Coordinates of all heavy atoms in Angstrom, one line a residue:
M1 N 130.2 127.5 94.9 CA 130.1 126.2 94.2 C 129.7 125.1 95.1 O 128.9 124.3 94.8 CB 131.6 125.9 93.6 CG 131.6 124.6 92.7 SD 130.5 124.8 91.2 CE 130.6 123.3 90.5
A2 N 130.2 125.0 96.3 CA 129.9 124.0 97.3 C 128.4 124.2 97.6 O 127.7 123.2 97.8 CB 130.7 124.2 98.6
L3 N 127.8 125.4 97.8 CA 126.4 125.6 98.1 C 125.6 125.1 96.9 O 124.5 124.4 97.2 CB 126.2 127.1 98.3 CG 124.7 127.5 98.6 CD1 124.2 126.8 99.9 CD2 124.4 128.9 98.7
F4 N 126.0 125.4 95.7 CA 125.2 124.8 94.6 C 125.1 123.3 94.6 O 124.1 122.7 94.4 CB 125.9 125.3 93.3 CG 125.3 124.6 92.1 CD1 124.1 125.1 91.6 CD2 125.9 123.5 91.5 CE1 123.5 124.4 90.5 CE2 125.3 122.9 90.4 CZ 124.1 123.3 89.9
L5 N 126.2 122.7 94.9 CA 126.2 121.2 95.0 C 125.2 120.7 96.1 O 124.5 119.7 95.9 CB 127.6 120.7 95.2 CG 128.5 120.8 94.1 CD1 129.9 120.3 94.4 CD2 128.0 119.9 92.9
V6 N 125.2 121.4 97.2 CA 124.3 121.0 98.3 C 122.9 121.1 97.9 O 122.1 120.2 98.1 CB 124.6 121.8 99.6 CG1 123.5 121.6 100.6 CG2 126.0 121.4 100.2
L7 N 122.5 122.2 97.2 CA 121.1 122.5 96.8 C 120.7 121.4 95.8 O 119.6 120.9 95.8 CB 121.0 123.8 96.2 CG 121.1 125.0 97.3 CD1 121.0 126.3 96.6 CD2 119.9 124.9 98.3
A8 N 121.6 121.1 94.8 CA 121.3 120.1 93.8 C 121.0 118.7 94.5 O 120.2 118.0 94.0 CB 122.5 120.0 92.8
F9 N 121.8 118.4 95.5 CA 121.7 117.1 96.2 C 120.3 117.1 96.9 O 119.6 116.1 96.8 CB 122.8 117.1 97.3 CG 122.8 115.8 98.0 CD1 123.3 114.7 97.4 CD2 122.4 115.8 99.3 CE1 123.3 113.4 98.1 CE2 122.4 114.6 100.0 CZ 122.9 113.4 99.4
V10 N 119.9 118.2 97.6 CA 118.6 118.2 98.2 C 117.5 118.1 97.2 O 116.6 117.3 97.4 CB 118.5 119.5 99.1 CG1 117.0 119.7 99.6 CG2 119.4 119.5 100.2
A11 N 117.6 118.9 96.1 CA 116.5 118.8 95.1 C 116.4 117.4 94.5 O 115.2 117.0 94.3 CB 116.9 119.8 94.0
S12 N 117.4 116.7 94.4 CA 117.4 115.4 93.7 C 116.6 114.4 94.7 O 116.0 113.4 94.2 CB 118.7 114.8 93.4 OG 119.4 114.5 94.6
F13 N 116.6 114.7 96.0 CA 115.9 113.8 96.9 C 114.4 114.3 97.1 O 113.6 113.5 97.6 CB 116.7 113.7 98.2 CG 117.6 112.6 98.2 CD1 118.9 112.9 97.6 CD2 117.4 111.3 98.6 CE1 119.8 111.9 97.5 CE2 118.3 110.3 98.5 CZ 119.6 110.6 98.0
A14 N 114.1 115.5 96.8 CA 112.8 116.1 97.1 C 111.7 115.2 96.4 O 110.6 115.0 96.9 CB 112.7 117.5 96.7
G15 N 112.0 114.8 95.2 CA 111.0 114.0 94.5 C 111.3 112.5 94.6 O 110.8 111.7 93.7
A16 N 112.0 112.1 95.5 CA 112.4 110.7 95.6 C 111.2 109.8 95.9 O 110.3 110.2 96.6 CB 113.5 110.5 96.7
A17 N 111.3 108.7 95.3 CA 110.2 107.7 95.5 C 110.1 107.2 96.9 O 111.1 107.0 97.6 CB 110.4 106.5 94.5
A18 N 108.9 106.9 97.4 CA 108.8 106.4 98.7 C 108.6 104.9 98.7 O 108.4 104.2 97.7 CB 107.6 107.1 99.4
V19 N 108.7 104.3 99.9 CA 108.5 102.9 100.1 C 107.3 102.7 101.1 O 107.1 103.3 102.0 CB 109.8 102.3 100.7 CG1 109.5 100.9 101.2 CG2 110.9 102.3 99.7
H20 N 106.4 101.7 100.7 CA 105.3 101.4 101.5 C 105.4 99.9 101.9 O 105.9 99.2 101.2 CB 103.9 101.6 100.6 CG 103.9 102.9 100.0 ND1 103.3 104.0 100.5 CD2 104.4 103.3 98.8 CE1 103.4 105.1 99.7 NE2 104.1 104.6 98.7
R21 N 104.8 99.6 103.1 CA 105.0 98.2 103.6 C 103.6 97.7 103.7 O 102.7 98.3 104.4 CB 105.7 98.2 104.9 CG 107.1 98.6 104.8 CD 107.8 98.6 106.1 NE 109.2 98.9 106.0 CZ 110.2 98.1 105.7 NH1 109.8 96.8 105.7 NH2 111.4 98.4 105.6
I22 N 103.3 96.5 103.1 CA 102.0 95.8 103.3 C 102.3 94.4 103.7 O 103.1 93.6 102.8 CB 101.2 95.9 102.0 CG1 100.8 97.4 101.8 CG2 99.9 95.0 102.2 CD1 99.9 97.6 100.6
A23 N 101.8 93.9 104.8 CA 102.1 92.5 105.2 C 101.0 91.6 104.5 O 100.0 92.0 104.2 CB 101.9 92.4 106.7
Q24 N 101.5 90.3 104.3 CA 100.5 89.3 103.9 C 100.4 88.5 105.3 O 101.3 87.9 105.8 CB 101.1 88.4 102.9 CG 101.4 89.1 101.6 CD 102.8 88.8 101.1 OE1 103.8 89.2 101.7 NE2 102.9 88.1 99.9
K25 N 99.1 88.5 105.7 CA 98.9 87.8 107.0 C 97.4 87.3 107.0 O 96.5 88.0 106.7 CB 99.0 88.9 108.1 CG 99.0 88.3 109.5 CD 99.5 89.4 110.5 CE 99.7 88.7 111.8 NZ 100.3 89.5 112.9
G26 N 97.3 86.0 107.6 CA 96.0 85.4 107.6 C 95.5 85.2 106.2 O 94.2 85.3 106.0
R27 N 96.3 84.8 105.3 CA 96.0 84.5 103.9 C 95.3 85.7 103.2 O 94.4 85.6 102.3 CB 95.0 83.3 103.7 CG 95.7 82.0 104.1 CD 94.8 80.8 103.6 NE 95.4 79.6 104.0 CZ 95.2 78.9 105.1 NH1 94.5 79.4 106.0 NH2 95.8 77.7 105.3
T28 N 95.7 86.9 103.6 CA 95.1 88.2 103.0 C 96.2 89.2 103.1 O 97.2 89.1 103.8 CB 93.8 88.6 103.7 OG1 93.3 89.6 102.9 CG2 94.1 89.0 105.1
F29 N 96.0 90.3 102.3 CA 96.9 91.4 102.4 C 96.3 92.3 103.6 O 95.1 92.3 103.8 CB 96.9 92.2 101.1 CG 97.6 91.6 100.0 CD1 96.8 91.0 99.0 CD2 99.0 91.5 99.9 CE1 97.5 90.3 97.9 CE2 99.6 90.9 98.8 CZ 98.9 90.3 97.8
A30 N 97.3 92.9 104.2 CA 96.9 93.7 105.4 C 95.9 94.9 105.1 O 95.2 95.4 106.0 CB 98.2 94.2 106.1
Q31 N 96.0 95.3 103.8 CA 94.9 96.2 103.4 C 94.6 95.8 102.0 O 95.3 95.2 101.2 CB 95.5 97.7 103.4 CG 96.8 97.9 102.6 CD 97.4 99.3 103.0 OE1 98.1 99.4 103.9 NE2 97.0 100.3 102.3
S32 N 93.3 96.2 101.6 CA 92.8 95.7 100.3 C 93.1 96.7 99.1 O 93.0 96.3 98.0 CB 91.3 95.5 100.4 OG 90.6 96.7 100.7
E33 N 93.4 98.0 99.5 CA 93.8 98.9 98.4 C 94.7 99.9 98.9 O 94.8 100.2 100.1 CB 92.5 99.5 97.8 CG 91.6 100.2 98.8 CD 90.4 100.8 98.1 OE1 89.7 100.0 97.4 OE2 90.1 102.0 98.2
I34 N 95.5 100.5 98.0 CA 96.4 101.6 98.3 C 96.6 102.5 97.1 O 96.6 102.0 95.9 CB 97.8 101.0 98.8 CG1 98.7 102.1 99.3 CG2 98.4 100.2 97.7 CD1 100.0 101.6 99.9
T35 N 96.8 103.7 97.3 CA 97.0 104.7 96.2 C 98.4 105.3 96.5 O 98.7 105.8 97.6 CB 96.0 105.8 96.2 OG1 94.7 105.2 96.0 CG2 96.2 106.8 95.1
I36 N 99.2 105.2 95.5 CA 100.6 105.7 95.6 C 101.0 106.5 94.4 O 100.4 106.4 93.3 CB 101.6 104.5 95.7 CG1 101.6 103.6 94.5 CG2 101.3 103.7 97.0 CD1 102.6 102.5 94.5
P37 N 102.0 107.4 94.5 CA 102.5 108.1 93.4 C 103.4 107.1 92.5 O 104.0 106.2 93.0 CB 103.4 109.2 93.9 CG 103.3 109.1 95.4 CD 102.7 107.8 95.8
R38 N 103.4 107.4 91.2 CA 104.2 106.7 90.2 C 105.7 106.6 90.7 O 106.2 107.6 91.2 CB 104.1 107.4 88.9 CG 105.0 106.8 87.9 CD 104.7 107.4 86.5 NE 104.4 108.8 86.6 CZ 104.5 109.6 85.5 NH1 104.7 109.1 84.3 NH2 104.2 110.9 85.6
G39 N 106.3 105.5 90.6 CA 107.7 105.4 91.0 C 107.9 104.8 92.4 O 109.0 104.5 92.7
D40 N 106.8 104.8 93.2 CA 107.0 104.2 94.6 C 107.1 102.7 94.5 O 106.8 102.0 93.6 CB 105.8 104.6 95.4 CG 105.9 106.0 96.0 OD1 106.8 106.8 95.5 OD2 105.1 106.4 96.8
T41 N 107.6 102.2 95.7 CA 107.8 100.8 95.8 C 107.0 100.2 97.0 O 106.8 100.9 98.0 CB 109.3 100.5 96.1 OG1 110.0 100.9 94.9 CG2 109.6 99.1 96.4
I42 N 106.4 99.0 96.8 CA 105.7 98.4 98.0 C 106.6 97.2 98.4 O 107.0 96.4 97.5 CB 104.3 98.0 97.6 CG1 103.5 99.2 97.2 CG2 103.6 97.3 98.8 CD1 102.0 98.8 96.8
L43 N 106.8 97.1 99.7 CA 107.5 95.9 100.3 C 106.4 95.0 100.9 O 105.6 95.4 101.7 CB 108.5 96.3 101.3 CG 109.6 97.3 100.9 CD1 110.5 97.5 102.1 CD2 110.4 96.7 99.7
F44 N 106.3 93.8 100.4 CA 105.4 92.8 100.8 C 106.1 91.8 101.7 O 107.0 91.1 101.3 CB 104.7 92.0 99.7 CG 103.9 92.9 98.8 CD1 104.5 93.4 97.6 CD2 102.6 93.2 99.1 CE1 103.8 94.2 96.8 CE2 101.8 94.0 98.2 CZ 102.4 94.5 97.1
T45 N 105.7 91.7 103.0 CA 106.4 90.8 104.0 C 105.4 89.7 104.4 O 104.3 90.0 104.8 CB 106.9 91.6 105.2 OG1 107.9 92.5 104.7 CG2 107.6 90.6 106.1
N46 N 105.8 88.5 104.2 CA 105.0 87.3 104.5 C 105.0 87.1 106.1 O 106.0 86.6 106.6 CB 105.5 86.1 103.8 CG 104.7 84.9 104.1 OD1 103.7 84.9 104.9 ND2 105.0 83.8 103.5
E47 N 103.9 87.4 106.7 CA 103.8 87.3 108.1 C 103.0 86.0 108.5 O 102.6 85.8 109.7 CB 103.3 88.5 108.8 CG 104.1 89.7 108.7 CD 103.6 90.9 109.4 OE1 102.6 90.8 110.2 OE2 104.3 92.0 109.3
D48 N 102.8 85.1 107.5 CA 102.1 83.9 107.8 C 103.2 82.8 107.9 O 104.3 82.9 107.5 CB 101.2 83.5 106.6 CG 99.8 84.3 106.7 OD1 99.3 84.4 107.9 OD2 99.3 84.6 105.7
E49 N 102.7 81.6 108.4 CA 103.7 80.5 108.4 C 103.7 79.7 107.2 O 104.5 78.7 107.1 CB 103.5 79.7 109.7 CG 102.1 79.3 109.9 CD 101.9 78.8 111.4 OE1 102.3 79.4 112.3 OE2 101.3 77.6 111.5
Y50 N 102.8 80.0 106.2 CA 102.9 79.2 104.9 C 103.4 80.2 103.9 O 103.5 81.4 104.0 CB 101.5 78.7 104.6 CG 100.3 79.4 105.3 CD1 99.8 80.6 104.9 CD2 99.8 78.8 106.5 CE1 98.8 81.2 105.6 CE2 98.7 79.3 107.1 CZ 98.2 80.6 106.7 OH 97.3 81.2 107.4
L51 N 103.6 79.6 102.7 CA 104.2 80.3 101.6 C 103.1 81.3 100.9 O 102.0 81.0 100.9 CB 104.6 79.4 100.4 CG 105.7 78.4 100.8 CD1 105.9 77.4 99.6 CD2 107.0 79.2 101.0
H52 N 103.7 82.4 100.5 CA 102.9 83.3 99.6 C 103.7 83.6 98.4 O 104.8 83.0 98.1 CB 102.6 84.6 100.3 CG 101.5 84.6 101.4 ND1 100.2 84.2 101.1 CD2 101.6 84.8 102.7 CE1 99.5 84.2 102.2 NE2 100.3 84.5 103.2
Q53 N 103.2 84.5 97.5 CA 103.8 84.8 96.2 C 103.1 86.1 95.8 O 102.0 86.4 96.3 CB 103.5 83.6 95.3 CG 104.2 83.6 94.0 CD 103.3 84.3 92.9 OE1 102.2 84.6 93.1 NE2 103.9 84.6 91.8
I54 N 103.7 86.8 94.9 CA 103.2 88.1 94.4 C 103.2 88.0 92.9 O 104.1 87.7 92.3 CB 104.0 89.3 94.8 CG1 104.0 89.5 96.4 CG2 103.6 90.5 94.1 CD1 102.8 90.0 96.9
Y55 N 102.0 88.3 92.3 CA 102.0 88.5 90.9 C 101.1 89.6 90.4 O 100.0 89.9 91.1 CB 101.7 87.2 90.0 CG 100.3 86.8 90.0 CD1 99.5 87.2 88.9 CD2 99.7 85.9 90.9 CE1 98.2 86.7 88.7 CE2 98.4 85.5 90.7 CZ 97.6 85.9 89.7 OH 96.4 85.5 89.6
V56 N 101.5 90.3 89.4 CA 100.6 91.3 88.7 C 100.6 91.0 87.2 O 101.7 90.7 86.7 CB 101.3 92.7 88.9 CG1 100.4 93.8 88.2 CG2 101.5 93.1 90.4
D57 N 99.4 90.9 86.7 CA 99.3 90.5 85.3 C 98.4 91.5 84.6 O 97.2 91.3 84.6 CB 98.8 89.1 85.2 CG 98.8 88.6 83.7 OD1 99.4 89.3 82.8 OD2 98.1 87.6 83.4
S58 N 98.9 92.6 84.1 CA 98.1 93.6 83.4 C 98.9 94.1 82.2 O 100.0 93.7 82.0 CB 97.8 94.8 84.4 OG 98.9 95.7 84.4
K59 N 98.2 94.8 81.3 CA 98.9 95.2 80.0 C 100.1 96.1 80.3 O 101.0 96.1 79.5 CB 97.9 95.8 79.0 CG 97.4 97.2 79.3 CD 96.5 97.6 78.2 CE 95.8 98.9 78.4 NZ 96.7 100.0 78.7
D60 N 100.0 96.9 81.3 CA 101.1 97.8 81.6 C 102.2 97.3 82.6 O 103.2 98.0 82.9 CB 100.6 99.1 82.2 CG 99.9 99.9 81.1 OD1 100.3 99.8 79.9 OD2 99.0 100.7 81.4
M61 N 101.9 96.1 83.2 CA 102.9 95.7 84.2 C 102.7 94.2 84.4 O 101.7 93.7 84.5 CB 102.5 96.4 85.5 CG 103.5 96.1 86.6 SD 103.2 97.2 88.0 CE 104.3 96.5 89.2
S62 N 103.9 93.5 84.5 CA 103.9 92.1 84.8 C 104.9 91.7 85.8 O 106.1 92.0 85.6 CB 104.2 91.4 83.4 OG 104.1 90.0 83.6
V63 N 104.5 91.1 86.9 CA 105.4 90.7 87.9 C 105.0 89.3 88.3 O 103.8 88.9 88.4 CB 105.2 91.6 89.2 CG1 106.0 91.0 90.4 CG2 105.7 93.0 88.9
D64 N 105.9 88.4 88.6 CA 105.7 87.1 89.0 C 106.7 86.6 89.9 O 107.8 86.1 89.4 CB 105.5 86.1 87.7 CG 104.9 84.8 88.1 OD1 104.4 84.6 89.2 OD2 104.9 83.9 87.2
S65 N 106.6 86.8 91.2 CA 107.7 86.5 92.1 C 107.9 85.1 92.4 O 107.0 84.3 92.2 CB 107.4 87.3 93.4 OG 106.6 86.5 94.3
P66 N 109.0 84.7 92.9 CA 109.2 83.3 93.5 C 108.3 83.1 94.7 O 107.8 84.1 95.3 CB 110.7 83.3 93.8 CG 111.3 84.5 93.6 CD 110.2 85.5 93.1
E67 N 108.2 81.9 95.2 CA 107.5 81.6 96.4 C 108.3 82.2 97.5 O 109.5 82.3 97.6 CB 107.3 80.1 96.6 CG 106.3 79.5 95.6 CD 106.1 78.1 95.8 OE1 106.9 77.4 96.5 OE2 105.1 77.6 95.3
Q68 N 107.5 82.7 98.5 CA 108.0 83.6 99.6 C 107.7 82.9 100.9 O 106.6 82.8 101.3 CB 107.2 84.9 99.4 CG 107.5 86.0 100.3 CD 106.4 87.1 100.1 OE1 105.5 86.9 99.3 NE2 106.5 88.1 100.8
A69 N 108.8 82.5 101.6 CA 108.7 81.9 102.9 C 108.3 82.9 104.0 O 108.4 84.1 103.7 CB 110.0 81.1 103.2
Q70 N 107.9 82.4 105.1 CA 107.6 83.2 106.2 C 108.8 84.2 106.5 O 109.9 83.7 106.6 CB 107.4 82.3 107.5 CG 107.1 83.1 108.8 CD 106.8 82.1 109.9 OE1 107.3 81.0 110.0 NE2 106.1 82.6 110.9
G71 N 108.4 85.4 106.7 CA 109.5 86.4 107.1 C 110.1 87.1 105.8 O 110.8 88.1 106.0
Q72 N 110.0 86.5 104.7 CA 110.6 87.1 103.5 C 109.8 88.2 103.0 O 108.6 88.3 103.0 CB 110.7 86.0 102.4 CG 111.9 85.1 102.6 CD 112.1 84.1 101.4 OE1 111.2 83.9 100.6 NE2 113.3 83.7 101.3
T73 N 110.6 89.2 102.4 CA 110.0 90.4 101.9 C 110.2 90.4 100.3 O 111.3 90.2 99.9 CB 110.6 91.7 102.5 OG1 110.3 91.6 103.9 CG2 110.0 92.9 101.9
I74 N 109.2 90.7 99.6 CA 109.3 91.0 98.2 C 109.1 92.4 97.9 O 108.1 93.0 98.3 CB 108.3 90.0 97.4 CG1 108.9 88.6 97.5 CG2 108.2 90.5 95.9 CD1 108.1 87.6 96.8
E75 N 109.9 93.0 97.0 CA 109.9 94.4 96.6 C 109.3 94.6 95.2 O 109.8 93.9 94.3 CB 111.3 94.9 96.8 CG 111.5 96.4 96.5 CD 112.9 96.8 96.7 OE1 113.7 96.2 97.5 OE2 113.3 97.7 96.0
V76 N 108.2 95.4 95.1 CA 107.7 95.6 93.8 C 107.6 97.1 93.5 O 107.0 97.9 94.3 CB 106.3 95.0 93.7 CG1 105.7 95.2 92.3 CG2 106.3 93.5 94.0
N77 N 108.3 97.5 92.5 CA 108.2 99.0 92.1 C 107.1 99.1 91.1 O 106.8 98.3 90.2 CB 109.5 99.4 91.5 CG 109.6 100.9 91.1 OD1 109.4 101.2 89.9 ND2 109.7 101.7 92.1
F78 N 106.4 100.4 91.2 CA 105.3 100.7 90.3 C 105.6 101.9 89.5 O 105.3 103.1 89.9 CB 104.0 100.9 91.1 CG 103.5 99.6 91.7 CD1 104.0 99.1 92.9 CD2 102.5 98.9 91.1 CE1 103.6 98.0 93.5 CE2 102.0 97.7 91.7 CZ 102.6 97.2 92.9
P79 N 106.3 101.8 88.3 CA 106.8 102.9 87.6 C 105.7 103.6 86.7 O 105.9 104.7 86.3 CB 107.8 102.3 86.7 CG 107.5 100.8 86.5 CD 106.7 100.4 87.7
R80 N 104.6 102.9 86.4 CA 103.6 103.5 85.5 C 102.3 103.8 86.2 O 101.9 103.0 87.1 CB 103.3 102.5 84.4 CG 104.5 102.3 83.5 CD 104.0 101.4 82.4 NE 105.1 101.1 81.4 CZ 104.8 100.7 80.1 NH1 103.5 100.5 79.8 NH2 105.8 100.4 79.3
P81 N 101.6 104.8 85.8 CA 100.3 105.1 86.4 C 99.2 104.1 85.9 O 99.4 103.5 84.8 CB 99.9 106.5 85.8 CG 100.8 106.7 84.6 CD 102.0 105.8 84.8
G82 N 98.2 103.8 86.7 CA 97.2 102.9 86.4 C 96.6 102.2 87.6 O 97.0 102.5 88.7
T83 N 95.7 101.2 87.4 CA 95.3 100.5 88.5 C 95.7 99.0 88.3 O 95.4 98.4 87.2 CB 93.7 100.5 88.5 OG1 93.3 101.9 88.7 CG2 93.1 99.7 89.7
F84 N 96.4 98.5 89.3 CA 97.0 97.2 89.2 C 96.5 96.2 90.3 O 96.7 96.5 91.4 CB 98.6 97.3 89.2 CG 99.1 98.3 88.2 CD1 99.3 99.5 88.5 CD2 99.2 97.8 86.9 CE1 99.8 100.4 87.5 CE2 99.7 98.7 85.9 CZ 100.0 100.0 86.3
P85 N 95.9 95.1 89.9 CA 95.6 94.0 90.9 C 96.8 93.3 91.2 O 97.5 92.7 90.4 CB 94.5 93.2 90.2 CG 94.6 93.6 88.7 CD 95.5 94.7 88.6
V86 N 97.1 93.2 92.5 CA 98.2 92.3 93.0 C 97.6 91.1 93.7 O 96.8 91.2 94.5 CB 99.1 93.2 94.0 CG1 100.2 92.3 94.7 CG2 99.7 94.4 93.4
R87 N 98.1 89.9 93.2 CA 97.5 88.7 93.7 C 98.6 87.7 94.1 O 99.8 88.0 94.0 CB 96.7 88.0 92.6 CG 95.6 88.9 92.1 CD 94.8 88.3 90.9 NE 93.8 89.1 90.3 CZ 92.6 89.3 90.7 NH1 92.2 88.5 91.8 NH2 91.7 90.0 90.1
C88 N 98.1 86.6 94.6 CA 99.0 85.4 95.0 C 98.5 84.2 94.4 O 97.3 83.8 94.5 CB 98.9 85.3 96.5 SG 99.7 83.8 97.2
H89 N 99.4 83.5 93.6 CA 99.1 82.3 92.9 C 98.5 81.2 93.9 O 97.7 80.3 93.6 CB 100.3 81.7 92.2 CG 100.5 82.3 90.9 ND1 99.5 82.4 89.9 CD2 101.6 82.8 90.3 CE1 100.1 83.0 88.8 NE2 101.3 83.3 89.0
I90 N 99.1 81.2 95.1 CA 98.8 80.1 96.1 C 97.5 80.3 96.7 O 96.8 79.3 97.0 CB 100.0 80.1 97.1 CG1 101.3 79.8 96.4 CG2 99.7 79.0 98.2 CD1 102.5 80.2 97.2
H91 N 97.1 81.6 96.9 CA 95.8 81.9 97.5 C 94.9 82.8 96.6 O 95.1 84.0 96.7 CB 96.0 82.6 98.9 CG 96.9 81.8 99.8 ND1 98.2 82.1 100.1 CD2 96.6 80.6 100.5 CE1 98.7 81.1 100.9 NE2 97.8 80.3 101.2
P92 N 94.2 82.2 95.8 CA 93.5 83.0 94.7 C 92.5 84.1 95.3 O 92.2 85.0 94.6 CB 92.6 81.9 94.0 CG 93.3 80.6 94.3 CD 93.9 80.8 95.6
K93 N 92.2 84.0 96.5 CA 91.3 85.0 97.1 C 92.0 86.3 97.5 O 91.5 87.3 97.8 CB 90.5 84.5 98.3 CG 89.4 83.5 97.9 CD 88.6 83.1 99.1 CE 87.5 82.1 98.6 NZ 86.9 81.4 99.8
M94 N 93.4 86.2 97.6 CA 94.2 87.4 98.0 C 94.1 88.4 96.9 O 94.5 88.0 95.7 CB 95.6 86.9 98.3 CG 95.7 86.1 99.6 SD 97.4 85.6 100.0 CE 98.1 87.2 100.4
L95 N 93.8 89.6 97.2 CA 93.8 90.7 96.2 C 94.1 92.0 96.9 O 93.4 92.4 97.9 CB 92.4 90.8 95.5 CG 92.2 92.0 94.6 CD1 93.2 92.0 93.4 CD2 90.8 92.0 94.1
L96 N 95.1 92.7 96.3 CA 95.4 94.1 96.7 C 95.2 94.9 95.4 O 95.9 94.6 94.4 CB 96.8 94.2 97.3 CG 97.3 95.6 97.4 CD1 96.6 96.4 98.5 CD2 98.8 95.7 97.6
T97 N 94.4 96.0 95.5 CA 94.4 96.9 94.3 C 95.3 98.1 94.6 O 95.1 98.8 95.5 CB 92.9 97.4 94.1 OG1 92.0 96.2 93.9 CG2 92.7 98.3 93.0
V98 N 96.2 98.2 93.7 CA 97.2 99.4 93.8 C 96.8 100.4 92.7 O 96.8 100.1 91.5 CB 98.6 98.9 93.6 CG1 99.6 100.0 93.6 CG2 99.0 97.8 94.6
R99 N 96.5 101.6 93.2 CA 96.2 102.7 92.2 C 97.5 103.6 92.1 O 97.9 104.1 93.2 CB 95.1 103.5 92.7 CG 93.8 102.8 92.5 CD 92.5 103.6 92.7 NE 91.4 102.8 92.7 CZ 90.9 102.1 93.7 NH1 91.5 102.2 94.9 NH2 89.9 101.2 93.6
V100 N 98.1 103.7 91.0 CA 99.3 104.5 90.8 C 99.0 105.8 90.1 O 98.5 105.7 89.0 CB 100.4 103.7 90.1 CG1 101.7 104.4 90.0 CG2 100.6 102.3 90.8
E101 N 99.3 106.9 90.7 CA 98.9 108.2 90.2 C 100.1 108.8 89.4 O 101.2 108.6 89.8 CB 98.4 109.1 91.2 CG 97.1 108.6 91.9 CD 96.6 109.5 93.0 OE1 97.4 110.2 93.7 OE2 95.3 109.6 93.2
Ligands
CU201 CU1 99.3 83.7 99.4

C-alpha cells in the first residue's frame, strides 16, 4: 500500500507544469519568442528602473496585469494551446510571442 502511494505521488509530478523566466530589460523582453507546453507558467521580472506591465489580448486568452515596478515579477499561466502575443501597455514596441503546444 505504501509503495502504491509513492508511485502515485511520483506519477502526479511527472507531467507537472514547468516555470520559465523571461526578464523585461532595456524596454524589451529578454527573448522575442518562446515555445512551451500547455499548462506552463512564465514569470516576467522587471529588470528596468521604469514601470512595465503585461497584457495578452486574444480570443483564447486575456491578461491585463497591474503596473510592475522594478524588481517585481508577474506570473502568467498558459492553459490553452495557441500563439499568444504578450505585450506591455507602457511600451508598445515590446512583444513576446508565446507558442503553447
Ligand atoms: Cu514596458
Side-chain angles (χ1 to χ4, degrees):
M1 189 60 183
L3 178 63
F4 170 77
L5 286 176
V6 168
L7 290 175
F9 183 77
V10 170
S12 72
F13 273 83
V19 168
H20 310 267
R21 291 176 179 275
I22 296 181
Q24 298 131 294
K25 192 167 188 175
R27 292 192 180 89
T28 187
F29 290 102
Q31 56 194 89
S32 62
E33 53 181 54
I34 186 172
T35 301
I36 62 174
R38 175 169 41 160
D40 278 12
T41 294
I42 301 180
L43 300 182
F44 296 96
T45 300
N46 181 359
E47 295 186 4
D48 278 325
E49 48 194 52
Y50 19 78
L51 294 173
H52 285 299
Q53 185 272 349
I54 294 285
Y55 79 93
V56 179
D57 184 14
S58 78
K59 75 176 167 61
D60 286 331
M61 186 169 170
S62 183
V63 172
D64 192 9
S65 86
E67 289 183 345
Q68 180 188 5
Q70 181 178 23
Q72 281 189 337
T73 298
I74 287 180
E75 183 176 329
V76 181
N77 183 257
F78 293 82
R80 294 185 178 199
T83 300
F84 302 98
V86 175
R87 299 175 188 274
C88 169
H89 277 308
I90 301 161
H91 305 105
K93 287 182 179 169
M94 291 180 69
L95 172 62
L96 167 71
T97 301
V98 179
R99 289 189 187 84
V100 184
E101 296 180 328

